[in-house]
Structure formats: structure tokens, C-alpha cells
Amino acid sequence: MARKLLLENINVPGINTFDVYRQQGGYRAVEKALKSMSPDDVVEEVKKSGLRGRGGAGFPTGMKWSFLAKPEGKARYLVCNADESEPGTFKDRYLMTYLPHLLIEGMIVSSFALGAKVSYIYVRGEMMPQIRILEKAIAEAKNAGFLGKNILGSGYDLELYVQPGGGAYICGEETALIESLEGKRGNPRIKPPFPAISGVWGCPTVVNNVESIAAVVPIINDGGEEYAKIGNGRSTGTKLISASGNINKPGVYEIELGLPVEEFIYSDDYCGGIANSKRLKAVVAGGSSVPILPANLILKTITGEPRLMSYESLSDGGFQSGSMLGSGGFIAFDEDQCIVRNTWNYARFYHHESCGQCSPCREGTGWMEKVLHRLEYGHGKMSDIDLLVDVAKKIEGNTICPLGDAAAWPVASAIRHFRDEFEWHVTHPKEALERNYGLANYAEFTNAI
Amino acid sequence: MLKVTEEQPIEFSSKLITEFNEIVTRYPEEKQKAALLPILHLVQAEYGWVSVPAMDKVAEHLDIKPIEVYEVASFYSMYFLKPQGKYVLEVCRTGPCCLVGAEKIMDYMEKQLGVKEGEVTSDGLFSWRGVECLAACGMAPVLQIGPEYTFHEHLTEEKVDQLIQELKK
Ligand SMILES: Cc1cc2nc3c(=O)[nH]c(=O)nc-3n(C[C@H](O)[C@H](O)[C@H](O)COP(=O)(O)O)c2cc1C
Ligand code: SF4
């Protein structure tokens, strides 16, 4: 079995309590950092590790930290992004539920590295149980002297608070999250200035995903170089993958980056194959925002190389024949799923979640939802298909934040790879209401069950 | 946009006010507006929804304009701007849940409760609605019930029946 850095102790009874977590070697990274390292040393280790942001964009964490402005007399903030709302992604919920102290330990080390005296964990409001878990864990850590004034006699002070959201996918976007934390609507800000210069209350701010912060713990314990030895090329370390859809074993898996996709889908160590002995039709590999790929292209790249679970391999072939690792939300579709219906569902999601600031996103997502709805319900025209491509193109790159792109890509990629299924909805409107298109012949199956 | 559906002025309990005040201490001086979202959750937990008089009172408490509260309450999907059933069953309606039967669960819920999405049952106990991805796709289909947002996973028609029976007790 692959090495686990984050979930190693997840099955230890009581690991969600401070005492058990500590007995298992927890909070060693805080001791090491605060007693024997400078903040810059910590940043250096994270740089060496090659860790890339686990929230979706994959930006190198150490580099992001080194951009943080440090003006005299101004507070600096670390905000943990636990808004987790990208369809297909549920790893952060899992981590906070079962290993709250891993996140808190990571927050302490990371806040120390950045010189933050107050840090926030912004949790989506629906995760009230996780908010309770984190609040309890913070109280335990504080009680044990790992939070509050003069932590472990180091002279470093840190207060850590949990902030609930109000239910809005857009608040996962870092500048919308900052607005929301300030008590406002979640309207993304125009960048620049970037949060590293002007974030929460105009102060320099780093926003990092839950999993990125948790990964700092093994990086400090074992050293950045050790972490960088795991994985594949520039995809270093391990990654939590949320696996859902029509597979035998949905759940959260920690993988070493570079694992072959085929192994991930069919091995009993991971997804355990497609449920009900059906065949794989398509996969959305990195959360709903990334392009959907038909089975043949998710298993092998266009040049016939085995596709790997890594930033580089999943994006091999660009958007013509590749996708993205994104947040690691891996959604598998069996042969009975309708691509048009699924695309409509996502379009509705993005329309619902658009903050409405930019016309291309606000209007475009509404158009796409409407047109996809009529295609799915048997009132579509052939020209609707190109209309969708056109609308998607007009949104992409023309908005304040990447939600516009995130709404456009699923539609554009579904039509790119499954156009025949869209056309069939137009030519066979009645039939399309009664049955699904099935596998047809667009995918050649190297791994048919 | 917002309709005033309740005119009675509201007085928050001293317990609630103590909780509000504790939340405000989490932020720097003069940044008390940051307490708005958590406070609105507390108000909704207490009253079941957030009325205009309640929002006005929150504005007063945080020393911000009422419009600053309205614009926030109407932006976020979790705040109810009109009365709901005592239990609001919120079923995830997004892609991954639909791959494993969420739409059937919603149809079934509508049939069993006898009310359409967003409506309240005549005994005032239930309303239901579809909500967007709850970050639980591996446990799909799922639903949640506020104010503590308890979770019900791997839903089946039997589980929905059971849940409704239990809540009726
Ligand atoms: C529409 C939208 C939603 C996002 N949602 C999340 C989210 O739920 N969680 C998250 O960590 N990042 C999310 N992101 C990415 C954040 O903007 C940001 O890149 C990330 O939190 C940075 O942390 P990382 O570098 O550790 O990944 C989202 C971005 C966009 C555009
Ligand atoms: S792209 Fe959409 S979500 Fe992002 S700022 Fe513009 S309107 Fe808002």
C-alpha cells in the first residue's frame, strides 16, 4: 500500500481528541518549528517540499508564502479555506471530522511561518458539526498550551478562530472568502491587489486550503526534501482524492501523486471498479469545474501513455484531450448516465452560484442552463449545440474571477467529447426522455469489465 | 426584494446577546461587522428564520446599517427570509448525488410530505428543498437538517420514511 502522510493514524480510536493525537506524535511539528526553527526556515522547508495548493489551482505553497508583504505595524493573517463546495470534493470535511488536530497543528506552524498572530478557519456554514469539532479541538489545544500567549515558552502568540460561511460556493474563491469573512456578500475582488498585499481588512493575507495546511505538518516533521521524494516530477507528495459516482467504493483516498488512473479506478485498494458490473463511460477528475473526459482519454493520454493521477499527466493534451487534477474530486460515470443531463445539472449549479457581478458569467450561466434544459427535455435544436459552445467561449477569460471559466469548461468539454450524444437528443427527443444514449462508440475501452 | 412579513419588534434574549458579544471579540477593534454571518446563524437557530425586525435588531447591535444586513442575508443560501417548517429537509441536488439517485429521493420526499419544494406542511412541521453540493458526494445521496445541520447519508426511500417518522415524534 502507498505511503500515507495525512491519514496514517485515521483509524486510531480517539484520534480526534488532543490526548490521543498527542500520544501518536501529534504537535511535534509545532515543537520543532517554534523551538528550533525561524519562520523563514519553515517557509524554506515548504518551498523545498514542492507542495502545491490543494484547493484547486495548484499554486506552489512556499512561493505563495514568500510573496506575503510584511509592512511595519500591520497585522498579517492566515485564513484557512474550508469552504469546500466544489461538486465532487469532500476531502476537507473528512479531514476536519476525523483529524481536527492535524489541521490545527498545521495552522499553528503555518501561522508562525507567516507571522500571523490571529488566524481564521473559514468553514462553510453547512458544516456545523465540523465547526463544533474544530472549536472543541481548539479549546483542547489552547488548554495544553499550543495556542494563546507565549506558546511553549517561545514568545509566539496565536489565537485561532472558526468562522462560518452562509452557504455560497463563490466564497471558496479566496477574495470572495475574504469579503465574506469581513461580514459582506461574497463578491470576488478585482486583482491586483492580491491578498498577499491587501487581504482581510486591507492587511497582507494568505489563504490556503485545509489539505495544504495539513500537509505542512509532515513536511516540517520529516523535512521538505523527504516530502519531495514522494510523488512524480513536479507533483510531489500525497493527495487526498474524493471518489464518488458509480464506483464500488466511494470515499476519500490518500494517494501518492503519480498513481495510474486505471489502478485508482479498478484496484480494490481504491475505487474497486465500476458499481453493478457496469462499464465506465466518463470521468470528471478534479471537481465539477474541470473538463469531463470519456473513459478512453482518462485511462490513456492521446499519445497512448497511461494517464497518471498528477498535475502534469491529467492536464496532458491540454483541453483538447486532457483535463486537470483540480481539487481531486474524482467523479465516475457508468454507461447508464446521461451526459446532457449531467451537463445541465452543473450549468444550473454555476448559474445558481454566480455572484452576478460580471455580465458574461451572470447571463451566460443562465443561458447555458436554459439551453441545456431544453436539449435534455426534448425541445432542443441542432443550432443549440453550437450556441452553447459560443456562450461558453464568451464567458471564458472575460470575468473577474475563475467561476466563469469553471462554468464554461464543463459545457465546452462535454460537447467536445460527447457531441453525438447532444445531437441524438435533438434528433430523438422522445427517445431521449425515455432512455439513455449509453456508451455508443465514442470510447474504445481498454479496460472493459 | 425583501418583504416585511412580520412587524412585531424583536427582543433578543440575554443569552443570545452574550453569544453575540463573544463572537465580536474574535475580530480587531471596529471590525465587528465580521460577526454578521455567525450572528445571523444564531438568530435563525433561535427563530427558525430571519425576519426584517430581527435583521434591524442585528444591525443595531453591530452598529451597521440595516441594508448591510439585508444584502448579506439575501445573498447567502442558508438564511431563510420567510418562515419554514420546524424541520427543513435539505437534499443535495448536484451532479454526483444525482448519479446515485438524488432526484428520485426528492420526488419521493415531495410525495410523502405532500408539499412542493419550499412549501410548509399543514402541521407546520416540515419543509424541504434541493440544495447545491454539500461536500459529501461519497455518501450520496445526502440530506441535512438545520440548525445543527445533522447529516443523513446513503438515502433510500425507507430511510426517508424512517426519518420523517422519527421527527414527527
Ligand atoms: C469559484 C471558486 C471556488 C473555489 N472554492 C474553493 C474551495 O472550496 N476550497 C479551496 O480551498 N479553494 C477553493 N478555490 C480556490 C481558492 O481561490 C484558492 O486558490 C485556494 O483556497 C488557495 O489555497 P491553496 O493554494 O492551498 O490551494 C475556489 C476558487 C474558485 C474560483
Ligand atoms: S465570474 Fe461570476 S462569480 Fe466570479 S465575480 Fe464574475 S459574476 Fe461573480
Side-chain angles (χ1 to χ4, degrees):
Chain A
M1 249 330 248
R3 264 180 78 179
K4 294 209 163 97
L5 299 179
L6 304 179
L7 304 185
E8 198 180 356
N9 291 327
I10 196 146
N11 292 321
V12 176
I15 193 71
N16 59 341
T17 63
F18 177 85
D19 290 341
V20 175
Y21 181 77
R22 181 87 175 119
Q23 277 158 24
Q24 296 294 323
Y27 288 96
R28 267 185 305 141
V30 175
E31 289 174 311
K32 184 170 174 183
L34 269 58
K35 290 185 174 165
S36 68
M37 297 171 82
S38 71
D40 286 345
D41 292 342
V42 177
V43 176
E44 209 42 51
E45 284 308 316
V46 174
K47 270 191 184 162
K48 272 191 228 158
S49 75
L51 173 68
R52 292 165 68 176
R54 303 299 194 220
F59 192 83
T61 305
M63 201 190 297
K64 184 190 251 187
W65 287 9
S66 64
F67 292 155
L68 186 69
K70 298 185 173 158
E72 278 294 313
K74 241 192 185 175
R76 301 193 281 277
Y77 292 100
L78 170 64
V79 181
C80 173
N81 188 342
D83 190 57
E84 192 169 60
S85 320
E86 168 93 356
T89 315
F90 48 98
K91 66 193 174 71
D92 297 342
R93 170 195 290 277
Y94 186 76
L95 211 108
M96 292 187 286
T97 306
Y98 298 105
L99 293 166
H101 285 285
L102 181 66
L103 175 59
I104 291 165
E105 181 173 11
M107 283 300 285
I108 300 168
V109 175
S110 308
S111 301
F112 171 73
L114 299 168
K117 298 277 159 71
V118 176
S119 295
Y120 298 94
I121 306 175
Y122 180 101
V123 186
R124 63 180 292 182
E126 294 93 337
M127 289 195 196
M128 204 55 90
Q130 285 67 33
I131 291 174
R132 304 275 184 245
I133 290 168
L134 287 174
E135 281 176 341
K136 177 163 166 277
I138 288 172
E140 289 174 338
K142 195 164 180 178
N143 201 26
F146 284 92
L147 280 169
K149 291 238 170 301
N150 192 18
I151 299 169
L152 305 179
S154 65
Y156 175 61
D157 306 337
L158 176 67
E159 291 297 338
L160 182 56
Y161 298 109
V162 181
Q163 176 82 0
Y169 167 64
I170 191 56
C171 290
E173 194 283 329
E174 56 184 8
T175 61
L177 184 148
I178 289 170
E179 288 283 299
S180 179
L181 175 54
E182 293 181 1
K184 301 179 198 152
R185 296 165 75 98
N187 288 344
R189 295 176 178 172
I190 293 172
K191 301 192 241 190
F194 288 89
I197 310 296
S198 176
V200 187
W201 302 303
C203 297
T205 301
V206 165
V207 179
N208 272 133
N209 174 258
V210 171
E211 186 188 345
S212 314
I213 303 257
V216 171
V217 174
I219 289 170
I220 294 308
N221 280 335
D222 307 338
E225 273 166 26
E226 277 305 304
Y227 188 88
K229 283 183 193 158
I230 304 167
N232 183 285
R234 285 182 57 239
S235 297
T236 62
T238 64
K239 172 90 189 82
L240 298 181
I241 305 293
S242 321
S244 68
N246 307 118
I247 48 176
N248 280 317
K249 292 168 57 194
V252 176
Y253 296 98
E254 181 170 10
I255 62 157
E256 288 185 20
L257 283 167
L259 180 79
V261 172
E262 186 164 339
E263 185 178 342
F264 184 69
I265 298 176
Y266 292 102
S267 159
D268 280 333
D269 289 338
Y270 305 104
C271 303
I274 307 308
N276 307 314
S277 309
K278 296 221 165 103
R279 298 206 300 171
L280 179 67
K281 178 170 181 174
V283 166
V284 172
S288 64
S289 303
V290 310
I292 187 171
L293 289 180
N296 57 334
L297 283 176
I298 188 67
L299 295 170
K300 288 205 164 77
T301 66
I302 195 84
T303 52
E305 298 291 316
R307 183 86 74 180
L308 310 178
M309 304 283 280
S310 72
Y311 292 97
E312 291 76 22
S313 181
L314 279 169
S315 56
D316 186 284
F319 278 6
Q320 273 314 309
S321 62
S323 183
M324 286 161 83
L325 178 63
S327 60
F330 194 93
I331 314 165
F333 298 69
D334 71 23
E335 56 194 293
D336 291 341
Q337 301 303 332
C338 173
I339 299 296
V340 176
R341 186 164 190 84
N342 182 72
T343 311
W344 162 61
N345 184 296
Y346 286 169
R348 178 181 68 180
F349 171 83
Y350 289 105
H351 181 214
H352 185 262
E353 300 301 330
S354 166
C355 84
Q357 279 191 111
C358 332
S359 329
C361 171
R362 183 188 61 237
E363 304 301 324
T365 52
W367 266 95
M368 292 196 302
E369 182 194 344
K370 234 186 263 169
V371 174
L372 282 158
H373 185 272
R374 72 180 178 231
L375 280 166
E376 167 65 8
Y377 284 92
H379 313 294
K381 298 189 290 273
M382 219 34 117
S383 58
D384 282 345
I385 302 172
D386 285 327
L387 176 64
L388 284 169
V389 174
D390 187 49
V391 174
K393 235 186 234 144
K394 286 185 170 128
I395 300 175
E396 202 183 333
N398 293 321
T399 56
I400 293 175
C401 93
L403 186 140
D405 302 340
W409 295 340
V411 175
S413 60
I415 296 176
R416 186 179 309 124
H417 299 299
F418 300 90
R419 185 180 269 268
D420 51 347
E421 187 163 345
F422 284 84
E423 290 173 353
W424 180 76
H425 275 71
V426 176
T427 52
H428 298 74
K430 284 216 185 76
E431 216 178 322
L433 287 173
E434 280 153 20
R435 70 170 185 97
N436 284 323
Y437 187 62
L439 279 175
N441 51 9
Y442 44 74
E444 40 181 271
F445 291 89
T446 48
N447 207 318
I449 287 189
Chain B
M1 261 195 25
L2 282 178
K3 261 207 232 125
V4 182
T5 42
E6 192 184 82
E7 289 295 349
Q8 293 88 350
I10 270 190
E11 281 306 328
F12 294 136
S13 67
S14 58
K15 178 173 162 282
L16 214 46
I17 303 253
T18 312
E19 287 177 320
F20 292 178
N21 291 339
E22 184 279 318
I23 292 172
V24 169
T25 63
R26 300 172 189 175
Y27 318 105
E29 290 277 309
E30 292 177 18
K31 304 298 181 196
Q32 77 281 1
K33 183 173 171 175
L36 182 51
L37 274 73
I39 284 180
L40 286 174
H41 283 305
L42 290 178
V43 170
Q44 180 155 303
E46 180 86 9
Y47 298 94
W49 64 298
V50 284
S51 64
V52 170
M55 288 192 273
D56 291 346
K57 207 73 192 167
V58 168
E60 203 178 291
H61 191 84
L62 288 176
D63 196 19
I64 56 181
K65 295 190 209 77
I67 182 70
E68 294 177 82
V69 183
Y70 305 161
E71 66 176 8
V72 162
S74 61
F75 181 85
Y76 294 96
S77 64
M78 290 177 75
Y79 304 119
F80 298 123
L81 300 178
K82 56 179 195 181
Q84 305 289 316
K86 180 171 175 204
Y87 303 106
V88 187
L89 311 185
E90 298 182 311
V91 189
C92 174
R93 66 174 195 181
T94 317
C97 269
C98 290
L99 292 181
V100 291
E103 286 159 323
K104 283 204 189 94
I105 292 292
M106 282 189 279
D107 289 345
Y108 187 71
M109 191 163 284
E110 175 165 335
K111 196 173 117 221
Q112 292 308 94
L113 293 177
V115 289
K116 289 215 170 344
E117 184 169 9
E119 293 172 0
V120 185
T121 53
S122 54
D123 57 6
L125 270 185
F126 296 102
S127 31
W128 73 275
R129 64 171 179 164
V131 292
E132 297 299 353
C133 186
L134 295 175
C137 324
M139 295 79 96
V142 292
L143 70 76
Q144 63 179 11
I145 307 173
E148 283 301 313
Y149 295 90
T150 37
F151 233 74
H152 300 266
E153 307 170 351
H154 300 295
L155 291 176
T156 57
E157 295 186 351
E158 294 74 48
K159 281 195 188 173
V160 170
D161 284 337
Q162 238 173 13
L163 179 64
I164 294 174
Q165 286 316 317
E166 269 163 37
L167 293 174
K168 272 186 179 165
K169 278 184 199 151

